[in-house]
Amino acid sequence: MSYSDFTLDRVRKTFGLTISNKTDIFASVHEVDCPPLLAEVLRENVPLALASNTEKSRSEMIIAPILIALRKYLNNQISLFSGIDFTVDSTQGLNGNCDFIISRSSELLILNAPVVTIVGAKKENINAGLGQCVAEILAAKLFHEREGNNIQTIYGTVTTGTNWKFLKLIGQVIEIDLSEYYINDIGKIIGILSNILTE
């Protein structure tokens, strides 16, 4: 079993979680000005990614440029990992590769805690990716504990590249923001990601 095998119901039952659906968890987060280079890249890349309409094209042409722009926006004080193995506890199924992991450390060669996980939605189905994202958030919690970081709130997101949904774990409660954020509001998406990484 791996992260991608978890449905939301399965991860909830397996780990004894409470699911809390909320609206506008990040309403108070201010949007940031979209960097001109990112705006130009997205103008070129989004139509290409949507035309081929594969998870890989969305990952490479939309998600990765957004995360690279986020890193630059945060003065390169975060690191970004794509497709790396994040096996934390294979006995509990918390193993496998993560689409993207952002670390709050600027170290580029080694993954350091604290981390935020990003799941690329399969077949553009964000809700189907929620279970995988929660499993990765739980793995991040264990990873933080092992690294000696007692972080109270752990975040994750599921995205198609054009739509973004954010989650957070506090104790045994997973809060899922029922609001989705869209690529035409990229300043809000970068604002939320920035807020998560700097709080």
Side-chain angles (χ1 to χ4, degrees):
M1 194 167 168
S2 67
Y3 298 120
S4 59
D5 295 322
F6 282 102
T7 62
L8 188 57
D9 188 50
R10 185 175 195 171
V11 76
R12 177 183 64 86
K13 289 175 179 172
T14 301
F15 295 96
L17 301 171
T18 300
I19 305 294
S20 173
N21 302 312
K22 303 244 175 160
T23 304
D24 295 329
I25 293 174
F26 300 97
S28 64
V29 173
H30 299 290
E31 50 180 270
V32 302
D33 291 332
C34 181
L37 180 58
L38 176 61
E40 182 181 339
V41 166
L42 292 178
R43 259 193 311 276
E44 293 289 326
N45 288 10
V46 170
L48 289 170
L50 296 182
S52 60
N53 203 27
T54 64
E55 181 189 351
K56 188 172 190 305
S57 67
R58 287 171 175 265
S59 175
E60 292 173 350
M61 296 182 200
I62 304 174
I63 301 169
I66 290 171
L67 298 179
I68 290 166
L70 172 70
R71 183 171 183 270
K72 186 173 182 180
Y73 176 76
L74 294 174
N75 299 313
N76 298 327
Q77 293 304 301
I78 62 170
S79 52
L80 175 62
F81 298 86
S82 175
I84 67 164
D85 179 69
F86 190 55
T87 297
V88 176
D89 188 340
S90 54
T91 63
Q92 297 187 74
L94 301 179
N95 58 278
N97 291 346
C98 291
D99 295 321
F100 292 97
I101 296 179
I102 303 172
S103 169
R104 292 186 202 173
S105 164
S106 60
E107 172 63 54
L108 297 176
L109 299 177
I110 300 168
L111 180 63
N112 291 302
V115 298
V116 175
T117 62
I118 299 173
V119 172
K122 314 305 184 251
K123 299 181 181 175
E124 300 175 59
N125 188 341
I126 284 187
N127 285 345
L130 294 175
Q132 178 179 342
C133 188
V134 172
E136 290 181 12
I137 290 171
L138 290 168
K141 179 181 179 183
L142 287 176
F143 181 70
H144 294 163
E145 290 169 358
R146 290 179 187 167
E147 295 290 312
N149 287 326
N150 186 23
I151 297 168
Q152 300 302 310
T153 306
I154 302 161
Y155 295 92
T157 183
V158 181
T159 180
T160 63
T162 52
N163 300 23
W164 295 67
K165 184 178 282 290
F166 294 91
L167 301 80
K168 65 181 177 179
L169 172 69
I170 303 172
Q172 286 295 106
V173 177
I174 284 283
E175 291 185 8
I176 300 173
D177 193 343
L178 294 178
S179 303
E180 285 187 17
Y181 301 88
Y182 303 98
I183 194 77
N184 60 353
D185 197 7
I186 188 62
K188 183 70 171 184
I189 293 167
I190 293 175
I192 293 169
L193 290 167
S194 174
N195 182 264
I196 285 170
L197 291 162
T198 57
E199 82 168 10

